[in-house]
Amino acid sequence: DVSVTATGVPTSCSNAGSYYLDGVTGQLAAQASWGSCAGWAVCPAGSYCSDDGVKRPCPAGRFGASEGAETSACSGPAPPGTFAGNGSVAVAPCGSASSFCPEGSATPTPVDAGYYGVSPGTSEGYGFDADHDRTKQHAQAVCPAGSYCDGGGTRVLCPAGRYGGAEGLTDASCSGECEAGFFCPAGSTSAREHKCGAAAGTFCPAGSGVPTPTRAGFYAIYDAADTSPGSAVVGHELSAMVAAATTAGYAAERPCEVGTYCEAGVRKLCAAGTYGQRVKEVFPSCSGECRAGYYCPAGSSSPTEMLCGAAADVYCPTGSVAPIPVSVGHYTYFTEARPEIRSFDQVDVDGDGLITWDEFNSVATGALTMTADPNSQTPRFVAEATAAWRMADEDTSDELDEREYGLILSVHEPYGLDGDVRALYGDKHHQLGVVETRSAQAICEPGYYCVKGMRHLCPRGVYGATSGLSVPGCTAKCYAGYYCPEQSIIPNPIPCGNNTVFCPLGSAWPSPVYQAGGYYTLGGTDDGTTRTMEERCPPGSWCDQGIRTICPAGTYGDAHGLLTSSCSGPCTKGYFCPAGSSKAEEVPCGDPSLYCPTGSSIPTAVQPGWYTVNGSTTTRSAIVEAPRGHYAMRGLLYECPAGRYGASTGLTQPGCSGGALAGYFTPPGSVSPRQRACGGPGHICPSNSAYPLKVTAGYYTTTTATDQCPPGMYRDVTGVVDPSLHTETNFQNVDGTPTTISAVPTVVHHAAHAGEGENDGWAVGPLAPCVLCPEGKYKAREGDGPEQCLQCPLDSSTSSSDGTTCECFRLPGGGGYEALSFVTKPDQDQNDGTCIGVSTANATNLKDPPLSLSDSSWTRYEQYPCERGFACVDGVRFAIEAGRYGATERNTNPLGTGLCAPGYYCPEASITKTQIACGGVDRYCPEGSTVPLLVSVGYYTQEERAPTIRTYQTICPTGHWCEGGLRYQCDAGKYGATEGLSDAQCTGLCHAGYYCPTASDSAMQIRCGDASVYCPTGSPHPTKVLPGFFTTHTGAYQGALALNDPLNTTASAQQLCEPGNWCADGVKYQCPAGWYGWSYGLTNSSCSGPCAPGYYCPSYPHPGSIKADQHECGQVDHYCPQSTGNVAPTVAAGYYTVGGNDDNRTRYAQTPCEAGHYCKGGVKHVCPDGVYGRKAKLQDPKCSGYCPPGHACPKGTVEPLQCGPGTYATGGAYFCSQCPGSPPTGPSRQTCFNSRKCCGY
């Protein structure tokens, strides 16, 4: 009954982990190992037994540590680091470091060259781990950079000085040597593993494992192959080296060159001012300081590294780092040992006073004594000696005299004086070539000045008194009177000389005087040894041998540079010339008591009674006897003084021959006691009068009322009238009392007005005035008649300015003459007057004034005080003119005391300013009135004064009218637009729209007011408008007036308010919108009442409504509640209109649409079939929406109706449909109502 597998193993014994046959031997399992099935045994360790009953060995790389393995997996693969052979029961260690065993290894695998073995649980760097078990390596890894693997399975660090720059290296040479400038410790991965370092105390050649210290006296460099001396750091990091140092370190060392020293591996330049002559120098001081005369920049290798310079303006002391500019007023020189210079006598061996070149250049006795020269300067000294010779031999004679040799001594004078011998270079006389080693500076000595380090002799004409001078002018110029040679140290070294030479300020040599030009010297001391200047001999003197001598008395010298004692010649007449005179008219002769002929050396005195002539009063040259009318004193000719006269020649005293007669005066030079008549009435002449005395102010000698006109004048009666011809005229005395008409002709003045009342008309004046005779006529005696003015001879004369005589301009017939005189025969007819010729000398003494002038107004000698009412001017008494008054005696003002007072009038000779009152209100008297003036038509007299003393008239002002000198206001309602009105009607009535109070001056005096009043034509005040009326404009231009008067301030009438309007305070208003006015005279805004419901009553801009149903409301979509105005309201959405007539045109309200309805255009509609209206105010025919499925919505549905059993509705239905067939009896199983499918029972 046991089944058998394909191998013949009974199925019932097919037990995993057991075997029947040994797969290796093919034998059955040993009986001793059989289990429950005969022939079967448990699979032993190291084997596996699958379900085919065959035992097989565990494959290589796997091991079977226990029995019963069922698969070839056995117990598992050999763990890493071990291996297992075929049928292994246990694993074995992999072995040595040269092999490795991954998991499942059958045998160890050799480690490849460039790789090393690794064990589980260790790092890849285990090759450096002493605890690493090399028998259990489970893998190999590529040898990392910085190490090498030679195939033995271990990893070794690349040795110091080398580097491993790649993986898999196989020998100790790794990738190669470390680069120069870097060092590579063991295990380095880069040829530049570590930069040698920033410090120059170490360096790294190629293959360095560690830095090498730099030796003393050496410095580190970057490139061992660079042999140039400048490749190292010199004093500081050079920019190129710094750049290199960012990628490499120092690669080698090199000994320090000359000019440098090395410290801590760094080469540094020897400091400026020092030098380095040795290699491998280690001290900062190097070899020492730079030599005097030279300067050493940093890095110098010689004490004479750089010559101080060719220019003398720098010097270099010991240790100089650069040339030092010379100080102002200093010169530079060399301080080291120099050749000494011998004296002239020492060099002039043969004693002939001249030094030859051989003598100069002799080693034993020559000018230059050569001494020890530690600096090898001998060649330079020789060159300087040659240059000194050439410089000193100024005359190129190849011989030096003592002066020329002195040039060298002056330059080299310090030589041989002490150990610090100085050689001066650059003197004016010293051209030794270029000296480039000046080593010190010295202050410039007195007598010298120093510029740019060079010493120069102070030049001639100046001196140097102090040290440190720096300008060619040295201290200052040589004193005037002295001259200064070169190198002078005082301002006055040598006096100038004698009178023939002079020395101005800054003289280098004495200057000879220019004798030929007539010059002389001056200035300085009296002995003539220090003359300072020359001048040309001035006028009045002559010069010879530098000495000036004055011209002798009686002569003069008027030019410069005269050379002889005759000078320019004798003195001119009228003048005298003392010694030294420079002009022919040197000194005026003197006062008039002296005179000087030609060549005078002193003036000559004049004799009494004679006077000097010719020239001016100070240059008289001759004498003459005094003529008549004159006297002479001290050489001067004087006219006999005024008031005296001289009748003979040669007079010597001011009293002359006597005094003037009364009524006459004698001006200076008079020859007669009646020389001149006194003059007009304004003068008086008592005895001995020198001139006419002006009549005292306020006095008179002549009165115009009684005296005849004086000579030269006549009485002008033009305008004189006979008062008897005007018997009707009123005449008054001065005091205002009536007077009778005198038979004496009088000047009568006619008043300048047209009045005929009391005191109006003619005013009586004084006699006619005296006036000059007409031009061309003369009058020699007193008298009033114009016939007394006689004609001057027309062909030879014309009248004098005072009209008393004729002035001749030629002789009758035209004969020659010296002077002319007009002559009449005394006491005879004057018509025989004629012009006669006379000598000039006798012209003024021809004859006395005519006797006809005696006892006339021309010969007055007494005066009288002026009375009140008169004025006395120039000795003549005049009555004060009308319109003025004279209140005081001795009045001199023709205008009197003043003008007649306003309100009064004053006739001529009035004595008070209120002489006569003016009169009534119809006349007026301004200030200064002669008679009253009648008031003009349309004028009035001043109202503030008494009626009898009015002073002025005023034109009647606007708003008034004037009559009889009185002013009246225009009545209210009238106006006066112009001045000067004289009628009570004034200009006219006030214009409509305006009112005129009293005294108005405009037809539109005051605007009527606001709209509540109106003013017809001639309104004296505004009129209040009646209730229900409005104010308006009237007349032909009422439209224009209304347009220009929007506030209705010039209304001129009132008008009843029309229907549709209401009026208040004169303003018309339309009945407001929504109201109407059906009657006239409405007075408030309610008008006749509100507009009726269903109608609207418009207003502005339309006419006001006049009835309650003015306009129907309109279509059904509008409604008009009571008081609807211009526009009927439109029905609101969701509302409909109600009320009014059946034609729907007078709707007056709106109502919201009820549920189940919708409203459109003011009309209410029922919601149609199939829809429902759940809420109010619906506007759309769909109402709230279509009827939902399972419900019915007939017209007007508010809420959808649920379908009942046996019915259904699919949506939008207005009724529920009946299900087909008959519904079952009993409870229905219908579960829905929205589809026919719901009808299944």
Side-chain angles (χ1 to χ4, degrees), residues 629-633 638-646 651-659 669-670:
H630 296 76
Y631 69 96
M633 291 181 67
Y638 297 94
E639 290 181 321
C640 288
R644 313 297 293 178
Y645 71 98
L651 296 175
T652 62
Q653 297 299 322
C656 295
S657 300
S670 293

Side-chain angles (χ1 to χ4, degrees), residues 78-83 92-95 100-103 105 118 120 135-139:
T82 64
F83 68 93
C94 193
F100 67 94
C101 297
E103 184 181 43
S105 293
V118 295
T135 63
K136 295 182 179 179
Q137 297 178 154
H138 71 285

Side-chain angles (χ1 to χ4, degrees), residues 571-591:
C571 202
T572 301
K573 67 179 181 178
Y575 296 84
F576 69 95
C577 296
S581 294
S582 61
K583 296 179 293 184
E585 300 173 350
E586 182 69 17
V587 181
C589 194
D591 61 53

Side-chain angles (χ1 to χ4, degrees), residues 454-483:
M454 299 178 70
R455 190 182 74 164
H456 305 268
L457 292 175
C458 287
R460 286 182 174 275
V462 299
Y463 68 96
T466 60
S467 300
L469 298 175
S470 60
V471 294
C474 294
T475 299
K477 292 181 178 180
C478 196
Y479 282 1
Y482 300 85
Y483 67 94

Side-chain angles (χ1 to χ4, degrees), residues 268-651:
K268 299 180 181 177
L269 296 178
C270 289
T274 67
Y275 68 97
Q277 287 183 322
R278 299 181 293 271
V279 296
K280 302 181 184 178
E281 183 64 67
V282 297
F283 298 108
S285 61
C286 295
S287 299
E289 288 186 311
C290 199
R291 181 171 297 165
Y294 301 85
Y295 68 94
C296 296
S300 295
S301 61
S302 169
T304 58
E305 186 75 15
M306 303 289 290
L307 289 170
C308 193
D313 59 353
V314 293
Y315 66 98
C316 299
T318 301
S320 290
V321 302
I324 300 174
V326 69
S327 302
V328 175
H330 288 65
Y331 60 92
T332 56
Y333 63 92
F334 190 83
T335 58
E336 293 193 0
R338 306 292 289 171
E340 297 178 1
I341 297 185
R342 294 188 176 95
S343 68
F344 182 82
D345 293 337
Q346 289 175 315
V347 180
D348 184 19
V349 177
D350 59 9
D352 62 354
L354 295 173
I355 296 175
T356 64
W357 169 251
D358 291 337
E359 288 175 326
F360 181 84
N361 205 34
S362 171
V363 174
T365 61
L368 302 180
T369 301
M370 308 305 295
T371 58
D373 183 17
N375 296 324
S376 300
Q377 293 294 306
T378 300
R380 186 183 299 270
F381 292 165
V382 173
E384 292 179 0
T386 303
W389 171 271
R390 293 173 179 169
M391 176 275 298
D393 187 16
E394 291 183 333
D395 57 5
T396 64
S397 63
D398 292 332
E399 290 178 326
L400 302 180
D401 59 22
E402 187 170 1
R403 186 190 67 81
E404 290 174 324
Y405 189 75
L407 297 178
I408 299 177
L409 288 175
S410 68
V411 175
H412 294 273
E413 58 186 325
Y415 283 7
L417 297 181
D418 52 47
D420 184 19
V421 180
R422 294 178 292 174
L424 308 180
Y425 304 108
D427 263 6
K428 175 180 177 182
H429 302 292
H430 187 45
Q431 307 296 330
L432 298 183
V434 177
V435 179
E436 301 176 341
T437 56
R438 292 171 175 80
S439 56
Q441 68 174 1
I443 191 167
C444 220
E445 298 87 352
Y448 295 87
Y449 70 94
C450 295
V451 179
K452 295 184 178 180
M454 299 178 70
R455 190 182 74 164
H456 305 268
L457 292 175
C458 287
R460 286 182 174 275
V462 299
Y463 68 96
T466 60
S467 300
L469 298 175
S470 60
V471 294
C474 294
T475 299
K477 292 181 178 180
C478 196
Y479 282 1
Y482 300 85
Y483 67 94
C484 293
E486 288 181 322
Q487 202 179 349
S488 293
I489 62 174
I490 60 175
N492 52 351
I494 305 173
C496 191
N498 55 37
N499 286 317
T500 62
V501 292
F502 65 95
C503 295
L505 182 69
S507 290
W509 304 93
S511 299
V513 69
Y514 179 37
Q515 295 191 59
Y519 282 73
Y520 71 100
T521 58
L522 68 162
T525 57
D526 293 339
D527 61 5
T529 60
T530 55
R531 295 302 191 195
T532 61
M533 67 182 77
E534 71 170 348
E535 285 186 0
R536 198 172 188 192
C537 213
S541 61
W542 59 284
C543 294
D544 184 43
Q545 295 297 311
I547 298 174
R548 187 184 73 157
T549 305
I550 62 173
C551 293
T555 66
Y556 70 96
D558 64 354
H560 290 81
L562 297 176
L563 302 177
T564 65
S565 61
S566 61
C567 296
S568 299
C571 202
T572 301
K573 67 179 181 178
Y575 296 84
F576 69 95
C577 296
S581 294
S582 61
K583 296 179 293 184
E585 300 173 350
E586 182 69 17
V587 181
C589 194
D591 61 53
S593 67
L594 304 170
Y595 66 101
C596 297
T598 300
S600 294
S601 60
I602 58 172
T604 303
V606 69
Q607 65 193 67
W610 293 70
Y611 65 97
T612 53
V613 294
N614 299 331
S616 68
T617 57
T618 60
T619 58
R620 302 301 194 193
S621 62
I623 56 175
V624 177
E625 186 180 19
R628 292 176 65 207
H630 296 76
Y631 69 96
M633 291 181 67
R634 295 184 57 80
L636 288 176
L637 178 66
Y638 297 94
E639 290 181 321
C640 288
R644 313 297 293 178
Y645 71 98
S648 61
T649 63
L651 296 175

Side-chain angles (χ1 to χ4, degrees), residues 104-289:
S105 293
T107 59
T109 303
V111 174
D112 296 329
Y115 287 78
Y116 65 94
V118 295
S119 299
T122 62
S123 67
E124 291 187 354
Y126 80 92
F128 310 120
D129 189 351
D131 297 332
H132 172 57
D133 185 357
R134 297 185 178 179
T135 63
K136 295 182 179 179
Q137 297 178 154
H138 71 285
Q140 68 174 359
V142 67
C143 209
S147 59
Y148 67 93
C149 301
D150 58 3
T154 59
R155 185 181 71 152
V156 182
L157 292 176
C158 290
R162 305 192 75 81
Y163 72 96
E167 296 178 336
L169 299 176
T170 60
D171 59 61
S173 64
C174 294
S175 297
E177 281 188 324
C178 198
E179 284 188 20
F182 299 87
F183 68 93
C184 300
S188 294
T189 61
S190 169
R192 298 182 173 186
E193 188 72 13
H194 296 287
K195 188 162 63 173
C196 199
T202 59
F203 66 96
C204 298
S208 291
V210 292
T212 302
T214 306
R215 290 176 289 172
F218 286 74
Y219 61 95
I221 60 176
Y222 292 106
D223 187 359
D226 186 359
T227 60
S228 64
S231 63
V233 175
V234 180
H236 61 281
E237 295 284 331
L238 299 178
S239 59
M241 298 300 102
V242 172
T246 60
T247 58
Y250 297 105
E253 67 177 354
R254 179 179 293 169
C256 245
E257 297 89 350
V258 293
T260 66
Y261 68 94
C262 293
E263 187 177 53
V266 176
R267 186 183 78 158
K268 299 180 181 177
L269 296 178
C270 289
T274 67
Y275 68 97
Q277 287 183 322
R278 299 181 293 271
V279 296
K280 302 181 184 178
E281 183 64 67
V282 297
F283 298 108
S285 61
C286 295
S287 299
E289 288 186 311

